[in-house]
Amino acid sequence: MARKEYAFYPGCSSQKGASASNYLVSVESMCKTLDIKMTEIPDWNCCGASVSYAESGELPRHVMNARNFALAESNLPGQDIVATCAACWLGARESKERLEHSDRLMADTQTALKEAGLQIKVIPEVRHMVEVLIEDLGYDELKKPVKKPLAGMKFAGYVGCQTNRPFGIAGESFENPMYLDKLIETVGGEAVKYDQKVTCCGGALAFSEPEKAQAQIKDIIEAAYDGGAEMIVTPCPLCQANVEVYQGQINKKYGTKFDIPVLYYSQLMTLAYGGSAKEAGLNGNVVRARKLEEFAGK
Amino acid sequence: MSDLNQQMAERYKNNFLKEIEEQAEMGEWVKMCMQCGLCSGSCPTNFHSGWDHPPQEIFMLIRAGKREEVLNAQGMYMCTSCYNCYVRCPRKVPVTHVMHGIAEYAYRIGRAPKNQPTMHLSRTFWNNATKYGRVNEVKLTQSLYFKDGLGAGIKKAMEMQTVALGLVKAGRLNPLEAIGGGHKCKDLKGIHAMLAKANELEAQRKAAKG
Ligand code: SF4
Ligand code: SF4
Ligand code: SF4
Ligand code: SF4
């Protein structure tokens, strides 16, 4: 038996062939080394994400999350739900809170769930992968399997919004959370200081209002460069995509020369644990992390 | 004016605060605002064009009964759900959710601006996600680009082409999703029945108020 077992909620973006599929690959490698067993919640569905607020209304949004709770509870009893995407985590956790605080919402939710042959007894805990790493294992345990420290490499830990607010990681401040920096240091890298660590990248507005979001993204990348970073590291698939894939467009618009790789913490950990470039999902990065590719090949 | 808008205006006569409290999700929080302005100062979209009324002003206008100003405002559609305001508000107003609640209400009574891009995204996203239970990223992108018609869609798609190609090459965008491959839940029938019930209950509950 693995040392820890969880009900895994990958979310839409982390499926095979989707925009964060390389996140999934690296999480799987990382968990293998750490002896963490993640079992996908059978037939899980999308949480709806924050931006669907207008069309979803209140109850339907909570019902979508409740379906995942019911499926996790009946198929993987006693296991916490673990999300890798900040937005999935937030959406599910918010629904859990609302349902637990409102008998009326809970009763309506049960009525709706019955239509799908489901029911909730106790809603499982809903946690982010990073919480599991820090709280259930701890930095010391995360450090033990490090075979190849990422010595001499400088990273800007970009925490962004939804892994940080409104729930955040226990014990961390909203204005200057340190956990991502600590994770970087745990695997031997250097976490640079810069002033846009928790700035919003524009979130879903990157799709609907690209100029506005790109202006925000530009500030974040500029600050990372100014801080001396060679790469950016994130805990969230949307942050990752937003900060990575528009660099070309921003360069065109603003005359900048951005070309900075944007990675997941799980990719760094996989590499430091001795994993290959493939196991770390480096082939999934649009701005290629050449330095890390070389490092993995050594 | 749309029918529902008219009905609501009449039902609540001159009490717009009550209208928001009863009809908008989290609307009951508006009266807790003490107008300190911290939310507006924290908002990342603060400096962009189109941001006519930040949260603090929206709440003030609601309390002043300025129904038209609020329903015509653009500010609530600029929200990125960054939760800065939410964690900083000294009165613990869940500002993010109140903003979404007001936007949802304006949309429900037919008052959201036509072609508001983020409202369009909101609608498209939810419909996309609930149709198959999971988001189909290719179809989502397509319907976003082509919302203004074929010509505009092709132009936008061309501008985004390098972005999309980069993702395809990196194995992070699957063109097969466009033709029906892609991600789906198995129990779609159950999901759709469950959502139909949820919509029905929600409509009943909102109609019963006031
Ligand atoms: S937040 Fe995004 S990735 Fe997560 S389930 Fe919802 S839509 Fe899918
Ligand atoms: S930084 Fe951007 S993508 Fe990440 S959680 Fe915030 S809004 Fe979402
Ligand atoms: S921060 Fe809170 S109290 Fe202050 S203006 Fe905003 S909503 Fe009102
Ligand atoms: S959550 Fe929305 S309203 Fe609040 S600060 Fe962020 S963008 Fe502004």
Side-chain angles (χ1 to χ4, degrees):
Chain A
M1 221 180 82
R3 78 167 142 178
K4 302 272 179 198
E5 295 192 36
Y6 302 97
F8 184 30
Y9 179 34
C12 307
S13 60
S14 293
Q15 303 175 81
K16 201 160 175 285
S19 59
S21 44
N22 56 334
Y23 189 14
L24 184 69
V25 169
S26 59
V27 164
E28 280 169 355
S29 310
M30 174 187 82
C31 286
K32 203 166 150 209
T33 304
L34 293 170
D35 196 21
I36 296 175
K37 187 174 169 203
M38 305 262 276
T39 314
E40 228 178 277
I41 301 171
D43 209 36
W44 58 267
N45 56 262
C46 172
C47 70
S50 306
V51 74
S52 60
Y53 58 81
E55 190 68 39
S56 67
E58 188 176 7
L59 185 60
R61 198 174 77 234
H62 297 313
V63 163
M64 285 292 270
N65 283 306
R67 180 174 177 274
N68 291 329
F69 301 156
L71 288 170
E73 210 192 342
S74 54
N75 292 290
L76 302 162
Q79 299 186 11
D80 291 353
I81 294 175
V82 174
T84 39
C85 162
C88 309
W89 174 56
L90 183 144
R93 204 169 144 176
E94 193 219 332
S95 285
K96 174 178 159 74
E97 281 196 358
R98 296 262 197 115
L99 292 175
E100 286 174 344
H101 284 104
S102 164
D103 295 342
R104 172 186 55 76
L105 264 186
M106 187 57 128
D108 284 356
T109 298
Q110 298 281 27
T111 310
L113 279 179
K114 211 188 277 166
E115 297 287 317
L118 296 168
Q119 152 189 33
I120 289 182
K121 290 189 206 87
V122 183
I123 302 178
E125 291 302 319
V126 179
R127 308 177 66 202
H128 191 278
M129 186 78 231
V130 166
E131 283 186 298
V132 164
L133 294 179
I134 297 170
E135 292 166 7
D136 296 5
L137 281 94
Y139 297 105
D140 290 342
E141 282 301 313
L142 298 176
K143 195 171 187 150
K144 278 187 191 158
V146 172
K147 287 194 195 127
K148 292 167 68 184
L150 302 174
M153 293 192 213
K154 294 182 174 168
F155 302 95
Y158 174 49
V159 176
C161 318
Q162 296 197 347
T163 333
N164 184 38
R165 299 179 297 264
F167 300 115
I169 305 295
E172 296 277 5
S173 82
F174 295 129
E175 311 295 337
N176 188 17
M178 296 307 295
Y179 72 86
L180 195 52
D181 291 354
K182 285 192 210 153
L183 281 178
I184 292 167
E185 285 159 7
T186 299
V187 295
E190 183 186 332
V192 307
K193 282 202 171 57
Y194 74 116
D195 63 7
Q196 305 273 345
K197 191 195 256 182
V198 296
T199 304
C200 173
C201 69
L205 261 68
F207 297 108
S208 56
E209 304 242 24
E211 280 96 51
K212 295 190 170 97
Q214 288 181 14
Q216 291 173 214
I217 296 167
K218 174 178 162 277
D219 290 348
I220 295 164
I221 299 178
E222 234 156 33
Y225 272 120
D226 289 348
E230 303 163 278
M231 291 171 252
I232 296 176
V233 180
T234 82
C236 160
L238 188 58
C239 310
Q240 195 283 336
N242 275 357
V243 176
E244 182 187 44
V245 305
Y246 301 111
Q247 290 184 26
Q249 289 199 330
I250 294 173
N251 287 343
K252 227 185 254 167
K253 181 152 181 220
Y254 293 96
T256 44
K257 293 207 174 72
F258 294 162
D259 185 29
I260 192 164
V262 186
L263 296 128
Y264 295 108
Y265 62 90
S266 48
Q267 294 184 292
L268 301 195
M269 293 172 68
T270 300
L271 292 172
Y273 293 166
S276 66
K278 192 161 170 246
E279 285 163 331
L282 288 184
N283 53 349
N285 284 69
V286 172
V287 178
R288 287 181 53 189
R290 294 203 171 73
K291 196 161 181 181
L292 289 178
E293 286 173 10
E294 258 171 50
F295 173 85
K298 271 185 212 155
Chain B
M1 267 208 231
S2 74
D3 290 346
L4 198 52
N5 179 38
Q6 188 99 47
Q7 275 172 33
M8 287 299 178
E10 274 159 26
R11 190 201 292 185
Y12 290 98
K13 287 269 161 18
N14 295 316
N15 200 339
F16 186 49
L17 176 62
K18 186 159 181 243
E19 182 177 344
I20 290 294
E21 285 176 338
E22 293 194 350
Q23 292 292 331
E25 186 177 343
M26 296 278 153
E28 67 275 16
W29 281 92
V30 170
K31 62 175 174 302
M32 294 300 294
C33 170
M34 63 177 188
Q35 290 295 308
C36 71
L38 212 59
C39 52
S40 307
S42 314
C43 192
T45 57
N46 191 341
F47 308 103
H48 296 314
S49 60
W51 204 70
D52 48 3
H53 296 300
Q56 167 216 355
E57 271 176 42
I58 301 243
F59 301 161
M60 178 193 69
L61 290 166
I62 292 172
R63 291 167 75 164
K66 305 274 188 204
R67 191 173 192 275
E68 287 309 298
E69 271 96 328
V70 173
L71 293 178
N72 287 335
Q74 293 276 345
M76 55 265 196
Y77 310 108
M78 303 289 148
C79 175
T80 64
S81 310
C82 78
Y83 287 87
N84 267 327
C85 52
Y86 185 109
V87 299
R88 288 183 187 158
C89 173
R91 300 299 297 267
K92 301 260 181 297
V93 177
V95 186
T96 315
H97 297 153
V98 187
M99 292 292 272
H100 292 177
I102 298 166
E104 188 272 336
Y105 179 59
Y107 170 64
R108 182 160 24 105
I109 61 171
R111 290 296 304 267
K114 295 259 168 316
N115 295 324
Q116 211 299 322
T118 303
M119 286 307 271
H120 176 81
L121 171 63
S122 177
R123 201 157 58 230
T124 317
F125 193 96
W126 178 254
N127 292 339
N128 182 305
T130 51
K131 186 162 179 202
Y132 296 115
R134 297 181 190 174
V135 168
N136 179 316
E137 290 177 330
V138 172
K139 283 207 177 126
L140 178 68
T141 318
Q142 280 176 338
S143 38
L144 290 178
Y145 290 166
F146 291 95
K147 82 172 171 49
D148 301 323
L150 194 60
I154 291 173
K155 188 166 165 275
K156 256 200 187 161
M158 294 295 281
E159 284 169 14
M160 284 293 183
Q161 203 178 37
T162 44
V163 173
L165 265 179
L167 285 169
V168 172
K169 266 200 262 170
R172 285 164 54 187
L173 194 67
N174 179 4
L176 285 179
E177 289 206 338
I179 50 170
H183 308 294
K184 274 190 189 110
C185 284
K186 287 194 208 94
D187 186 24
L188 282 178
K189 216 169 134 223
I191 292 178
H192 292 153
M194 167 189 99
L195 285 172
K197 187 50 128 196
N199 280 317
E200 183 193 315
L201 292 171
E202 176 132 307
Q204 276 171 14
R205 194 152 34 78
K206 278 176 177 149
K209 283 195 180 150

